[in-house]
């Protein structure tokens, strides 16, 4: 009887041992098999993430030709008194001390902040009852109210693509309404930024974008100014007088007879169209 109990005991121990070994084998293969089939990817890095989110200007594809607009002043001349219009027929004459310097993607206008600007010789874009956009790459070298691109009206500019000293923000403005770039940080002097201002007539909205990012908007149902002069680069007009002269550099100025989409603005900020 004792021998039978011993035999049963050892048989039971053998069964338990076999089950434990089998269970360990199954668990090991489930865990190890899954890991073995997965291919290791590259280690994530902040640099790689940043490049995928916002391609550098040197690696991004050129913006589509449609983003040249109805007027485009690449400012690549480096010398002389005229900036060619690469999209239309309105070269801009350099005035009162405007010159040339290096830009982010080529050349740029160098402006003294007191008198220098460039005049396109025509309004270029129709604004009354229409959608439109203006764009430019800018480097601001001193504080104050400053205008990069504007269209002269009878009393004040029809629109201002500008920097507003009171708020330390870029803006796309009428004389009675202002879309401040409050959704991005205050700009730093001496650094290049890409600015776009759009107006949607159907929505009655001004919008401003900084480096391809939507940065602010405002309702602007009534613009008191109508075109009465030319598109100008590097200054504004207020109460009948030239004002807000830009100190620093401006490059790749565009105007469009439509409101650019966010996707188009991001593409333009990443890289200019092929010259």
């Amino acid at each position: 009887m004792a021998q039978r109990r011993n035999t049963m005991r050892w048989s039971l121990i053998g069964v338990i041992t076999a089950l434990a070994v089998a269970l360990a084998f199954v668990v090991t293969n489930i865990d190890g098999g899954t890991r073995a089939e997965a291919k290791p990817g590259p280690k994530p890095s902040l640099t790689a993430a940043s490049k995928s989110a916002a391609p550098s200007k040197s690696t991004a594809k050129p913006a589509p030709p449609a983003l040249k607009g109805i007027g485009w002043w690449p400012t690549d001349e480096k010398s002389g008194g005229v900036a060619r219009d690469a999209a239309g027929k309105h070269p801009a004459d350099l005035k009162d001390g405007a010159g040339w310097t290096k830009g982010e993607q080529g050349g740029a206008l160098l402006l003294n902040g007191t008198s220098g600007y460039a005049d396109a010789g025509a309004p270029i874009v129709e604004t009354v009852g229409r959608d439109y956009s203006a764009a430019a790459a800018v480097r601001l070298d001193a504080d104050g109210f400053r205008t990069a691109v504007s269209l002269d009206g009878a009393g004040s500019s029809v629109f201002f693509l500008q920097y507003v000293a009171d708020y330390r923000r870029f803006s796309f403005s009428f004389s009675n309404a202002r879309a401040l770039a409050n959704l991005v940080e205050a700009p730093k002097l001496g650094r290049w930024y890409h600015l776009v201002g759009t107006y949607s007539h159907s929505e009655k909205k001004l919008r401003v974008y900084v480096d391809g990012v939507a940065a602010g908007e405002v309702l602007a149902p009534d613009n008191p100014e109508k075109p009465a002069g030319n598109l100008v680069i590097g200054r504004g007009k207020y109460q009948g007088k030239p004002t807000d002269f830009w100190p620093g550099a401006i490059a790749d100025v565009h105007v469009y007879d439509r409101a650019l989409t966010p996707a188009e603005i991001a593409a333009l900020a990443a890289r200019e169209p092929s010259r």
Side-chain angles (χ1 to χ4, degrees):
M1 191 71 170
Q3 184 178 359
R4 184 179 176 183
R5 281 200 299 268
N6 288 336
T7 301
M8 291 177 63
R9 183 179 63 186
W10 287 110
S11 298
L12 183 59
I13 290 172
V15 170
I16 292 171
T17 302
L19 287 173
V21 171
L23 181 60
F25 177 81
V26 171
V27 171
T28 301
N29 277 273
I30 290 174
D31 186 51
T34 302
R35 293 174 185 265
E37 290 173 3
K39 294 181 179 179
K43 293 182 179 180
S45 69
L46 183 59
T47 302
S50 299
K51 287 182 178 179
S52 64
S56 70
K57 294 182 186 295
S58 60
T59 60
K61 294 181 179 179
L67 289 182
K68 291 181 178 181
I70 59 173
W72 175 27
W73 297 268
T75 63
D76 282 339
E77 283 75 11
K78 299 181 182 179
S79 64
V82 177
R84 70 185 177 96
D85 180 0
K89 299 179 180 179
H90 298 94
D93 293 329
L94 276 61
K95 304 280 189 178
D96 302 335
W100 302 99
T101 188
K102 185 178 180 181
E104 270 199 310
Q105 300 187 51
L109 292 176
L110 180 64
L111 302 166
N112 57 21
T114 57
S115 61
Y117 67 101
D119 188 324
I124 312 297
V125 63
E126 178 58 61
T127 61
V128 179
R130 306 288 183 87
D131 294 355
Y132 54 91
S133 305
V138 303
R139 191 193 75 213
L140 185 66
D141 291 347
D143 206 359
F145 270 81
R146 311 295 186 177
T147 296
V149 185
S150 68
L151 172 57
D152 282 350
S156 298
S157 296
V158 177
F159 64 78
F160 307 76
L161 186 60
Q162 64 180 173
Y163 172 78
V164 180
D166 289 356
Y167 299 94
R168 298 188 63 242
R169 290 293 186 274
F170 292 123
S171 175
F172 193 49
S173 310
F174 294 162
S175 61
N176 64 348
R178 182 178 289 148
L180 288 166
N182 284 325
L183 301 182
V184 296
E185 66 178 8
K188 296 178 174 61
L189 298 182
R191 184 194 152 186
W192 281 95
Y193 293 89
H194 188 267
L195 306 183
V196 176
T198 69
Y199 180 67
S200 168
H201 177 68
S202 62
E203 296 178 284
K204 309 293 186 187
K205 277 190 176 182
L206 287 164
R207 292 182 171 92
V208 63
Y209 297 76
V210 179
D211 289 339
V213 177
E217 63 179 48
V218 70
L219 282 171
D222 298 305
N223 188 345
E225 295 291 338
K226 294 178 175 58
N230 300 335
L231 185 90
V232 290
I233 302 166
R235 69 156 175 84
K237 184 179 181 181
Y238 187 66
Q239 295 183 345
K241 297 179 180 180
T243 188
D244 304 344
F245 289 91
W246 191 271
I250 301 175
D252 284 306
V253 175
H254 299 257
V255 287
Y256 304 86
D257 56 359
R258 59 193 178 88
L260 296 183
T261 67
E264 288 175 320
I265 291 167
L268 187 63
R271 190 171 174 185
E272 290 290 326
S274 296
R275 283 155 161 78

